[in-house]
Amino acid sequence: VYASSSKVLNMDHVATVSVNNDLRERVSNMMKSLDYVIALITISAAALAFIVLYNLTNINITERIREIATIKVLGFYPRETSAYVFRENIALTAIAAIIGLPLGKWLHSFAMSRIQIDMLSFDVHISLLSYILAVAGTFVFAMIVNLVMRRKLDKVSMTESLKSIE
């Protein structure tokens, strides 16, 4: 490539020759580095989502311990008790997804508009698959948290919880 560009540059009516091979390699290396950054951000966001869901569910169960004990005393089966408590979590996860998707798109557009690099621009496009994976991942985390917290529901003591004074 460089030898042929050198020959063309030596011609009489040629002022400049541009070889894009180096630029392609630099952009390719930069994009590989960016892939690692995106993977790190995605893993961090997933961990944060799991931790937030876990903490909110834990607080919800702790705050409603007497209510859960009452439901158990009334004869609800463990699955019915779990469904009663975790149905609310699934509904809140759905509401969060509905609100979070447009806010996430706006935040992405805002961040991408602030990134300006000479001779390089980013296409601000989010595929439908990205939306589907984000919502599905959030619901998977919610289901995992519900499964983990089911043990806490099973350990709720009916007698001790009903005796407690608020």
Side-chain angles (χ1 to χ4, degrees):
V1 174
Y2 294 109
S4 60
S5 65
S6 175
K7 289 179 184 177
V8 172
L9 188 58
N10 289 334
M11 294 181 174
D12 291 337
H13 300 292
V14 176
T16 62
V17 174
S18 177
V19 178
N20 292 333
N21 204 20
D22 290 336
L23 181 61
R24 277 188 177 174
E25 283 184 31
R26 282 187 288 188
V27 169
S28 177
N29 288 336
M30 186 174 66
M31 293 315 253
K32 285 179 186 175
S33 299
L34 194 59
D35 287 343
Y36 292 123
V37 171
I38 290 171
L40 179 67
I41 290 171
T42 303
I43 291 168
S44 299
L48 180 64
F50 184 80
I51 291 167
V52 167
L53 284 169
Y54 181 84
N55 284 334
L56 289 175
T57 304
N58 192 25
I59 290 168
N60 186 19
I61 291 172
T62 303
E63 291 291 323
R64 297 170 66 188
I65 205 95
R66 289 188 63 163
E67 178 184 350
I68 294 166
T70 303
I71 289 170
K72 283 184 165 191
V73 167
L74 291 175
F76 279 60
Y77 291 109
R79 285 184 153 232
E80 292 174 321
T81 305
S82 301
Y84 175 75
V85 173
F86 297 140
R87 193 176 308 126
E88 181 180 323
N89 287 355
I90 298 302
L92 290 174
T93 302
I95 292 168
I98 291 168
I99 293 170
L101 288 176
L103 288 176
K105 181 166 176 46
W106 174 80
L107 182 61
H108 176 262
S109 297
F110 176 76
M112 295 307 287
S113 70
R114 298 300 180 252
I115 299 173
Q116 295 177 356
I117 301 173
D118 293 338
M119 299 179 63
L120 182 66
S121 65
F122 294 100
D123 183 24
V124 181
H125 173 76
I126 303 172
S127 69
L128 179 63
L129 179 64
S130 296
Y131 288 112
I132 292 169
L133 289 175
V135 171
T138 304
F139 275 99
V140 166
F141 286 144
M143 294 298 188
I144 291 170
V145 167
N146 287 350
L147 288 173
V148 170
M149 295 307 284
R150 185 180 234 173
R151 283 186 244 156
K152 183 170 182 168
L153 280 179
D154 292 339
K155 291 180 182 178
V156 171
S157 171
M158 292 181 272
T159 56
E160 292 299 319
S161 296
L162 291 174
K163 288 182 192 176
S164 67
I165 299 170
E166 290 185 9

